[in-house]
Amino acid sequence: MRGLACLLMFQTHCYDAWLGGDARNTRFLKGSQLLGTLPAPLFLFLAGVSFALVADKLIRKNLSPAEITRTMLRRGAEIFAFGLLFRLQEYLIAWGWAPWSDLFRVDILNIIGLSMILMAILCGITLTVCRRTHDSYKGPSGDSYRGMPSAIPQAAEKGSGFSRCGPALVVAAIAAVSAIALLTPPLYTTWRPTWLPWPLESYVDGCHNLGAPQPWLFPIFPWSAFAFAGLAAGFILFGDLLFDSRLLKDRARNHTTETLAFFAVVGAVVILLARQLDLSSFHLYATYDYWHTSPNFLMVRVGLLLVITFLSYVWCRWGLATRGFSPLIQLGQTSLLVYWVHIEFVYGRFSLLPKRAESILTASRGLLEIFLFMLVLSLARTRIDWKKINWKRMGGRVQPA
């Protein structure tokens, strides 16, 4: 899925940067831009799924909520720092013509890092409340009291940690998605936090220093909702919450296929529901912006993410991805690196083609070159053990015996 996000990102950036003249007024570019609404949600959704995977492992190790929160906060802070570093790099490379305000752009890495920080806080609070609630049903010896039987045997409890809090974590994540979706329209209009300095307000509504929300930025509202959707999906998947093995008396079986198939069905239903809501005469908000702030469009994209998750699983388990080398899997392993590098060769000073001046055919050739270049870069990153290379000998120096 990360590799698919990279491919969709490449085509969006290449055609947007290089197409010029009449090519910018074609359905082809509009279709490319429509596909361009998927890469950022994919990256954020997968950040949530990965967060759930790591958090689930920490939970099963019986780490305390505070320890889990600190660990995940550090991960989020690292990604956010990478986002700030990326903005500094872009500004220095474009020195002379890039405005200083570019240093404060809210880009995709920034929102991934912030979303991870918010998810860490949410999971920490939820686990703390869940643990205290669970402990309140135990007596001094650790046994259940008030005549209530223990939910799971003591031996199983030792290995599961806070896994019984899985449903609570899912509910909390879904509640966060709903809250972000419902708050986005007013925060872009009547509730805009204009009292904040614009670099801070931009993280809420993407206003930048232009006085109004900008569609090309990635503020918390609504973009972090995709990360929380991935968090909910991840906890459902890794906790096997839909097909509880204890109830089915089949503890050795993994229900990944069934869970992801259920995701696809739910995704299709969500898409149809969102479409019907959009066509209805009822509107919850006075200002309705379907493509940027509407909860309906967010629902459609979440539904698509759930469907894509299942299709990706099918492709990787039974499709061509199982037969030899998979370029998408390879790109997905180094998604941060290829994102970081390709920007300079598309939008930056080292652009492979002149900006806003090419035909569809020429831009497509450039897209193929970018794809192959990023694939080679990804292979060099993962297939070569750079630590074992004797750089001194390659530089002509003789190693002492």
Side-chain angles (χ1 to χ4, degrees):
M1 285 182 70
R2 279 201 178 94
L4 174 62
C6 290
L7 182 60
L8 292 172
M9 174 180 65
F10 294 161
Q11 68 86 26
T12 303
H13 290 169
C14 288
Y15 290 129
D16 176 64
W18 295 333
L19 288 183
D22 294 337
R24 298 202 68 83
N25 300 315
T26 60
R27 291 183 177 179
F28 182 87
L29 180 59
K30 292 180 180 178
S32 171
Q33 292 173 334
L34 185 61
L35 290 175
T37 63
L38 284 176
L42 273 166
F43 283 127
L44 284 160
F45 181 82
L46 292 170
V49 173
S50 300
F51 187 101
L53 174 62
V54 176
D56 184 69
K57 291 181 178 179
L58 297 177
I59 289 170
R60 294 180 186 278
K61 291 180 179 179
N62 279 341
L63 269 66
S64 70
E67 291 174 316
I68 295 172
T69 302
R70 283 195 298 269
T71 300
M72 304 313 292
L73 278 174
R74 283 195 297 268
R75 289 176 178 268
E78 288 173 1
I79 299 298
F80 184 74
F82 277 128
L84 298 178
L85 181 62
F86 177 73
R87 293 262 44 94
L88 177 61
Q89 171 197 284
E90 293 298 287
Y91 178 71
L92 293 177
I93 291 178
W95 185 271
W97 57 270
W100 66 268
S101 58
D102 276 5
L103 289 169
F104 298 96
R105 280 180 56 180
V106 184
D107 219 330
I108 184 64
L109 286 180
N110 304 64
I111 195 58
I112 289 177
L114 273 180
S115 296
M116 293 179 69
I117 291 172
L118 294 174
M119 287 188 292
I121 295 172
L122 179 71
C123 288
I125 294 173
T126 305
L127 288 171
T128 300
V129 172
C130 182
R131 181 182 187 185
R132 290 178 179 176
T133 302
H134 170 62
D135 289 345
S136 70
Y137 284 94
K138 287 189 173 183
S141 63
D143 296 327
S144 302
Y145 70 106
R146 299 181 185 175
M148 296 179 61
S150 178
I152 54 178
Q154 186 174 355
E157 184 179 356
K158 182 178 180 180
S160 63
F162 298 101
S163 59
R164 66 173 63 221
C165 296
L169 290 166
V170 172
V171 170
I174 294 176
V177 174
S178 303
I180 293 168
L182 293 174
L183 286 173
T184 295
L187 285 173
Y188 275 59
T189 53
T190 55
W191 293 0
R192 271 191 61 195
T194 54
W195 46 273
L196 288 172
W198 70 260
L200 295 180
E201 183 191 348
S202 193
Y203 279 95
V204 177
D205 57 23
C207 69
H208 202 52
N209 64 338
L210 302 176
Q214 303 298 312
W216 44 275
L217 295 176
F218 300 91
I220 294 172
F221 298 88
W223 292 99
S224 62
F226 298 110
F228 282 103
L231 183 68
F235 277 123
I236 292 173
L237 179 64
F238 302 125
D240 204 10
L241 298 182
L242 295 180
F243 301 90
D244 193 330
S245 60
R246 290 190 297 274
L247 296 179
L248 296 176
K249 298 180 181 180
D250 186 7
R251 301 185 181 185
R253 185 180 176 188
N254 185 289
H255 300 92
T256 300
T257 304
E258 294 92 331
T259 300
L260 294 179
F262 179 80
F263 283 175
V265 172
V266 171
V269 171
V270 167
I271 292 171
L272 293 175
L273 177 61
R275 189 61 181 161
Q276 288 301 314
L277 289 174
D278 182 57
L279 296 175
S280 69
S281 58
F282 173 77
H283 292 291
L284 187 61
Y285 306 97
T287 302
Y288 186 73
D289 187 348
Y290 178 79
W291 293 103
H292 300 130
T293 64
S294 167
N296 295 333
F297 187 42
L298 189 144
M299 288 174 62
V300 169
R301 286 186 285 184
V302 169
L304 283 173
L305 292 173
L306 293 175
V307 173
I308 291 172
T309 302
F310 175 67
L311 295 179
S312 299
Y313 175 77
V314 171
W315 182 258
C316 290
R317 182 164 182 177
W318 297 292
L320 292 179
T322 62
R323 304 175 185 177
F325 174 72
S326 171
L328 291 187
I329 291 177
Q330 179 61 45
L331 285 173
Q333 293 174 352
T334 57
S335 55
L336 176 60
L337 175 64
V338 299
Y339 165 77
W340 197 296
V341 174
H342 95 281
I343 288 290
E344 276 306 314
F345 293 95
V346 177
Y347 286 113
R349 193 182 293 272
F350 307 107
S351 176
L352 294 184
L353 296 173
K355 300 184 183 69
R356 302 292 180 101
E358 302 299 337
S359 65
I360 294 176
L361 182 61
T362 306
S364 298
R365 187 200 69 197
L367 170 60
L368 178 61
E369 292 173 354
I370 284 289
F371 175 78
L372 294 176
F373 178 27
M374 293 301 104
L375 185 59
V376 170
L377 178 64
S378 178
L379 287 168
R381 171 66 181 84
T382 59
R383 301 296 177 89
I384 299 176
D385 191 344
W386 297 95
K387 294 181 180 179
K388 292 184 177 181
I389 296 178
N390 193 327
W391 297 102
K392 292 183 178 180
R393 180 170 298 177
M394 291 181 64
R397 299 180 182 178
V398 180
Q399 288 276 19

